[in-house]
Amino acid sequence: MTFISGSIPWNKGQKLSDETKDQIAETVLEGYRMGRTTWNKGIKWSDEVKKKISNSKKGSKPWNKGKKWSEEIKQKISETKKNNH
């Protein structure tokens, strides 16, 4: 099936059941556990491509620059990192 710009999705307006949501969440978590986290994992970049990527990223602002983290969020991040390692 191909995507056509401006077309209405077949499932627009439909609600997922709690069971379906749980199944989707489990499938996603299983993918993370098995290491399928990025589309480009295992790709060997040539030196030329690495240089192009590096040059394109230079001067760009980090995604988290200027963000303020609450103590609650910092604690959650810390606990998550401890549990994953």
Side-chain angles (χ1 to χ4, degrees), residues 1-49:
M1 181 176 275
T2 59
F3 174 77
I4 299 172
S5 180
S7 64
I8 299 172
W10 65 271
N11 59 349
K12 180 178 169 89
Q14 293 182 2
K15 303 291 182 194
L16 296 176
S17 68
D18 289 338
E19 182 180 328
T20 304
K21 289 178 186 178
D22 291 341
Q23 288 174 346
I24 292 170
E26 183 59 36
T27 303
V28 170
L29 284 175
E30 181 180 324
Y32 279 113
R33 285 188 209 118
M34 295 181 72
R36 295 184 300 232
T37 56
T38 58
W39 63 270
N40 61 352
K41 186 171 184 167
I43 292 176
K44 302 296 182 200
W45 301 106
S46 69
D47 290 337
E48 181 183 353
V49 171

Side-chain angles (χ1 to χ4, degrees), residues 2 6 8 16 19 22 25 27 35 38 40 42-43 45 48-50 61 64-65 73-76 79-80 82 84-85:
T2 59
I8 299 172
L16 296 176
E19 182 180 328
D22 291 341
T27 303
T38 58
N40 61 352
I43 292 176
W45 301 106
E48 181 183 353
V49 171
K50 288 180 191 176
K61 186 173 97 172
N64 59 350
K65 183 175 177 118
I73 297 296
K74 288 179 185 177
Q75 187 66 31
K76 283 183 181 180
E79 289 173 9
T80 302
K82 287 178 188 175
N84 288 339
H85 292 286

